Amino acid sequence: MSAQAARAEAPQHQPILLRETVGSIALLTLNRPGARNSLSEGLIAELRAALNDVGGDKRIRAVVLAANGPAFCAGHDLKELTARRSDADRGRAYFAQIMNACSAMMQAIVGLPKPVVASVQGIATAAGCQLVASCDLAVASEAAAFATPGVDIGLFCSTPMVALSRNVPRKQAMEMLLTGEPVSAATAQGIGLVNRVVSAGAERDAAIALAEKVALKSAYTVKLGKEAFYRQAEMNLADAYRFAAEVMTENMMARDAEEGIGAFIEKRDPKWQDK
């Protein structure tokens, strides 16, 4: 879908994804409040394009993903999907296209060489919950809630399950997936889906503040560490340690590690060169 077609989705021709820069932080804001920020074809494409752009921008050191309106994200746009039931194949090809595009976008978050922090102000359901789980860090309003309710409409949240099951323990993930019932922000923090819960309305500033803390570190070190974290998580223990030892060795040879260790020994602030 073209950017022009994507923009046409928003009321009064407002962009469906807003982007602004706060210092060294890129703030990406879902802007389909009338559709509960559901992940339409256009919004998925806009998010993927924005992530690609941010990834190559050396001025940006972290990303905050937020949303306008009462809901963070209601998952896939079911009206858009249902409209393709009239296709000759009853929508199969289109459904596969959307699911694969959405999965690629979620993986782009994980693969981004910069940390991504979710700022969750309201309900995050199905692929919206997946979006939160795909981010590296998450700050939630005390008014937020999280659910994978596909089972209630005969559509098991199989793709959201991938990210969810990599964030929370199996029993808690299965309960969310099998019952479809929402969990509170406090419960989400307790099971590891979000890092922090703050008062309603404070979540965006708190997410930016958290991103700014990471942005103070060496961008090279953060990139190396984020990639290594996700790779080792899929390995057995022995392979993970072998891989991590290789990463540590490579990291020790970096200019920023030499500078950071020297600064620590000399009791001064490091001067990063991001290499």
Side-chain angles (χ1 to χ4, degrees):
M1 175 179 284
S2 68
Q4 181 178 0
R7 285 193 294 270
E9 288 189 39
Q12 299 178 346
H13 303 289
Q14 290 296 309
I16 59 176
L17 181 70
L18 304 177
R19 176 175 173 179
E20 59 184 294
T21 302
V22 182
S24 61
I25 310 302
L27 176 61
L28 304 180
T29 305
L30 309 183
N31 192 40
R32 301 186 74 213
R36 297 174 65 80
N37 294 310
S38 57
L39 295 175
S40 64
E41 180 182 1
L43 185 51
I44 291 169
E46 291 272 316
L47 274 168
R48 182 67 187 275
L51 290 168
N52 288 343
D53 186 46
V54 165
D57 190 340
K58 292 184 178 180
R59 298 168 298 177
I60 300 301
R61 303 178 75 86
V63 177
V64 169
L65 182 59
N68 285 335
F72 175 76
C73 179
H76 285 288
D77 188 326
L78 296 180
K79 291 182 179 179
E80 183 180 72
L81 293 175
T82 299
R84 302 302 291 263
R85 290 285 190 190
S86 59
D87 290 359
D89 63 354
R90 297 183 54 242
R92 175 181 288 273
Y94 184 73
F95 301 156
Q97 173 193 328
I98 292 296
M99 297 306 161
N100 285 318
C102 188
S103 296
M105 182 270 291
M106 299 290 179
Q107 291 176 79
I109 293 174
V110 176
L112 195 74
K114 301 166 186 184
V116 182
V117 185
S119 168
V120 189
Q121 87 289 9
I123 190 77
T125 59
C129 186
Q130 178 186 6
L131 192 58
V132 176
S134 296
C135 291
D136 305 300
L137 302 168
V139 176
S141 159
E142 59 188 4
F146 305 83
T148 47
V151 68
D152 293 334
I153 59 171
L155 183 67
F156 198 83
C157 285
S158 298
T159 44
M161 171 185 69
V162 175
L164 183 67
S165 64
R166 282 163 169 73
N167 274 243
V168 308
R170 288 188 178 188
K171 292 292 192 294
Q172 283 78 11
M174 284 297 287
E175 182 173 350
M176 290 180 68
L177 291 161
L178 290 172
T179 68
E181 294 180 354
V183 300
S184 67
T187 298
Q189 183 182 27
I191 62 177
L193 184 56
V194 303
N195 298 85
R196 301 178 184 179
V197 177
V198 298
S199 58
E203 64 282 341
R204 191 170 300 196
D205 287 343
I208 291 172
L210 182 56
E212 287 174 336
K213 284 187 177 182
V214 183
L216 294 173
K217 317 302 181 186
S218 158
Y220 170 81
T221 303
V222 169
K223 173 186 177 180
L224 193 73
K226 175 176 173 176
E227 179 183 1
F229 177 87
Y230 289 114
R231 284 189 61 185
Q232 66 81 29
E234 303 300 322
M235 299 176 183
N236 63 46
L237 187 64
D239 288 344
Y241 270 115
R242 277 192 290 270
F243 169 68
E246 292 173 2
V247 173
M248 284 287 284
T249 301
E250 179 183 350
N251 199 168
M252 279 294 292
M253 300 306 295
R255 185 270 168 198
D256 279 358
E258 184 177 2
E259 164 64 11
I261 293 170
F264 177 78
I265 293 172
E266 297 164 16
K267 295 181 172 55
R268 61 175 173 82
D269 292 332
K271 297 179 180 179
W272 306 127
Q273 292 185 18
D274 297 327
K275 61 183 182 180

